[in-house]
Amino acid sequence: MLLADVARTSRQVAATRSRSAKVAALAGLLGVAEPAQAPVVVTYLAGRLPQRRLGVGWRALSGERPPPAPEPRLTVADTDAALARIAAASGAGATGRRGELLGELLAAATEEEQDFLTRLISGELRQGALDALAVEGLAAAVGAAPDEVRRAVMLGGSLGAVAEALLARGQDALAEFRLTVGRPVLPMLARSAADLDEALDRLGPCVVEEKLDGIRVQVHREGDAVRIFTRTLDEITARLPEVRAAALELDVRSAVLDGEVIAFDREGRPHPFQDVSGRVGSLTGSLPLSPVFFDLLTVDGRDLLGLSTERRHAELARVAPEPRRVRRLPVPEPASGEARRAAHEFADAVLARGHEGVLVKALDAPYSAGRRGAAWLKVKPVHTLDLVVLAAEWGHGRRAGRLSNLHLGARSADGTSFVMLGKTFKGLTDAMLAWQTERLLALAEDDGGRDGGGRDGGWVVRVRPELVVEVAFDGVQRSTRYPAGVTLRFARLVRYREDKRAADPEAVASVDSVLALLPGRAAG
């Protein structure tokens, strides 16, 4: 299959708002794909790269392109091999080598293919053909029920693997994808609720669990063999001997458990997420980790996915001792005032112990692997601060030509200056992007290259610290990248505060107020 076929289908999908037309276009392409090509084709159509990351930045992609090829000749296999070579470049001179390989690939592509590749590599392939549509297109191509294909993807862990099997063997291949110990499945995910009362109202009979700020893990045990996977299905067994030992202590022959890896201090309070992440991400480290399980997907040959939350919890309680299970409070009658007060007291206690919030789960819900369904709702306290904009970066892709990523600052301890805490480009609507570009350029101390490309390679527009913004964030963590030694987690813009002047001491949060939010410095 030629890359031009994929690029053309991508353009067709992007050009229509009709879901049925999108699915038909995807089905038409997948229906003529060779099974061996299917994993790459379907991954491209979902807007991702099989290699995940190439180490190619936007500057390399936004430079002058080589003259396009006059006729399509790049195959999907050629493209995948070229991208694999780019991803594999390492060591001294790797950046230059990646640039050379990228140039060679683009030179072999037509103009339409160049545009497709650039958007695919940069993550800007906004064509509406994300996984859900790709699943429906695949189902239509082989005449299968979308729900059955979706379940196969969840249990197989890979859209590409399911696509290859279906195109090679038809609908009968769906039976191959079942919950198997040793093969990770996509985890069930939670949506957000504004507060605990909203979650209780939406779910009805439920259970409230402490939400641990750790690393999500899926633990597979078969006899004495244990394998541990992340939420992205990467295996990290060798890094977590404590988790392997804990899994072997359980009273089971085989099981698949869902949980978190966390670290506790001597007082039983959790270490910050970044400490846990650093320990898990390295092959060495002295920080002792503890697994805490909150779900059981299969045990001793019995598939529990279709059972209710309540029944799976009962099975988990049978095989895992209390220290290995997440704390939870059943709320079978959330409309009751007494039950609601108990739920709030439980949530307050969770925050007081230093955890990040609670998860509220419907008691009758099955485990929907790979879905961010409405049966699990997370409730976390949202912090907000008024900060000042110190600079902004020119956007790229859909935000090209507009100032996007904001540099955020708090007032210094002595009150005489502002100290950068981090950046955010989240929460910005198109209208806000247009407004802030005009407003920030009026405050600019340098323009960073008004064409959005950056003068002399510059991308940052530094501005006078006058514009105040309200920023929401989930927490604070230590960071050596910023002068204050801390940064905000998951910061996003709420609104501009033109009613406040940065020159007024009370208008902008201080570094001291941010430091007080560090884990261990203040409850919650």
Side-chain angles (χ1 to χ4, degrees):
M1 177 177 285
L2 292 174
L3 181 65
D5 298 325
V6 182
R8 182 170 54 253
T9 301
S10 172
R11 177 168 47 80
Q12 292 171 350
V13 170
T16 179
R17 294 184 178 181
S18 166
R19 187 179 186 89
S20 61
K22 291 178 186 288
V23 171
L26 295 171
L29 180 69
L30 292 171
V32 298
E34 293 293 328
Q37 298 172 335
V40 176
V41 172
V42 77
T43 303
Y44 285 177
L45 292 173
R48 300 192 305 274
L49 292 169
Q51 295 80 12
R52 294 193 181 181
R53 296 182 181 87
L54 299 183
V56 174
W58 179 254
R59 293 190 187 186
L61 292 168
S62 61
E64 185 176 352
R65 297 177 184 174
E71 297 292 336
R73 58 188 177 89
L74 262 180
T75 67
V76 169
D78 292 337
T79 304
D80 184 52
L83 294 174
R85 288 193 293 271
I86 294 172
S90 61
T95 300
R97 179 58 178 157
R98 293 190 196 105
E100 292 173 4
L101 292 171
L102 177 63
E104 293 173 5
L105 175 60
L106 293 177
T110 64
E111 185 174 0
E112 183 176 38
E113 291 168 333
Q114 286 183 348
D115 181 63
F116 174 79
L117 285 168
T118 300
R119 291 185 294 122
L120 178 64
I121 294 170
S122 67
E124 292 288 337
L125 194 63
R126 301 178 185 275
Q127 59 187 23
L130 299 178
D131 290 75
L133 282 174
V135 164
E136 291 185 33
L138 176 60
V142 299
D147 283 348
E148 293 182 6
V149 176
R150 190 174 295 112
R151 177 179 170 84
V153 173
M154 294 170 187
L155 298 181
S158 165
L159 177 59
V162 174
E164 183 173 9
L166 283 176
L167 295 182
R169 297 183 291 282
Q171 296 185 50
D172 291 345
L174 290 172
E176 302 170 12
F177 296 94
R178 57 187 183 275
L179 183 57
T180 303
V181 178
R183 184 172 67 188
V185 303
L186 295 172
M188 185 171 178
L189 303 173
R191 295 184 183 179
S192 296
D195 54 42
L196 182 55
D197 285 323
E198 177 187 309
L200 295 173
D201 290 338
R202 284 165 61 180
L203 295 185
C206 60
V207 61
V208 183
E209 296 181 355
E210 58 186 358
K211 188 177 188 308
L212 308 179
D213 194 13
I215 300 293
R216 182 86 173 262
V217 291
Q218 191 176 113
V219 179
H220 292 238
R221 175 183 168 185
E222 186 70 65
D224 291 335
V226 176
R227 301 181 69 185
I228 306 164
F229 302 90
T230 67
R231 64 178 293 169
T232 56
L233 311 188
D234 296 314
E235 185 167 3
I236 54 173
T237 306
R239 300 176 182 178
L240 298 175
E242 307 100 319
V243 178
R244 180 181 182 277
L248 291 174
E249 293 172 0
L250 302 180
D251 186 21
V252 296
R253 296 189 309 276
S254 68
V256 176
L257 302 107
D258 197 356
E260 297 268 340
V261 170
I262 193 169
F264 296 98
D265 63 20
R266 292 180 179 178
E267 285 72 42
R269 294 180 64 82
H271 281 273
F273 170 82
Q274 66 188 117
D275 294 348
V276 178
S277 178
R279 164 68 173 79
V280 173
S282 66
L283 295 176
T284 60
S286 58
L287 184 67
L289 299 177
S290 299
V292 182
F293 302 113
F294 53 74
D295 221 317
L296 183 63
L297 312 190
T298 181
V299 60
D300 294 335
R302 290 187 294 124
D303 183 337
L304 308 183
L305 292 177
L307 299 185
S308 67
T309 299
E310 190 171 27
R311 292 182 64 187
R312 296 196 313 278
H313 285 180
E315 291 284 347
L316 178 62
R318 181 178 63 81
V319 302
E322 188 169 308
R324 294 298 185 204
R325 300 196 314 270
V326 72
R327 289 186 178 96
R328 57 169 58 101
L329 174 72
V331 188
E333 297 181 5
S336 159
E338 183 177 349
R340 190 159 296 223
R341 282 193 296 274
H344 278 277
E345 290 173 359
F346 178 87
D348 290 343
V350 169
L351 294 175
R353 288 194 295 271
H355 299 301
E356 66 171 357
V358 294
L359 273 170
V360 186
K361 301 178 179 179
L363 283 177
D364 60 355
Y367 189 96
S368 299
R371 302 291 298 275
R372 192 180 294 278
W376 288 11
L377 298 174
K378 55 187 176 183
V379 181
K380 298 191 293 183
V382 176
H383 306 283
T384 61
L385 290 173
D386 289 334
L387 303 172
V388 68
V389 178
L390 302 177
E393 298 173 14
W394 288 108
H396 56 75
R398 293 178 68 248
R399 295 186 174 188
R402 293 181 288 182
L403 290 174
S404 176
N405 205 12
L406 301 175
H407 294 204
L408 306 169
R411 191 174 295 280
S412 63
D414 61 10
T416 61
S417 61
F418 296 99
V419 181
M420 185 174 173
L421 295 175
K423 307 177 184 180
T424 189
F425 56 84
K426 297 184 182 298
L428 295 167
T429 65
D430 288 344
M432 293 171 74
L433 283 166
W435 181 87
Q436 77 178 24
T437 299
E438 180 179 357
R439 184 75 174 86
L440 292 173
L441 287 177
L443 296 173
E445 296 178 333
D446 61 71
D447 64 10
R450 285 179 181 261
D451 63 355
R455 183 181 58 208
D456 299 327
W459 284 72
V460 178
V461 177
R462 292 171 178 79
V463 300
R464 297 192 301 276
E466 297 179 9
L467 191 58
V468 179
V469 291
E470 183 179 350
V471 176
F473 57 99
D474 289 358
V476 175
Q477 67 183 40
R478 296 190 300 275
S479 173
T480 58
R481 294 183 58 188
Y482 298 105
V486 294
T487 190
L488 309 180
R489 291 187 65 195
F490 305 114
R492 59 268 188 200
L493 185 71
V494 176
R495 57 176 170 159
Y496 280 98
R497 296 301 306 264
E498 289 193 281
D499 57 321
K500 292 192 172 186
R501 297 193 317 139
D504 296 333
E506 69 279 2
V508 178
S510 69
V511 169
D512 286 343
S513 66
V514 176
L515 288 171
L517 296 173
L518 271 173
R521 295 284 296 271

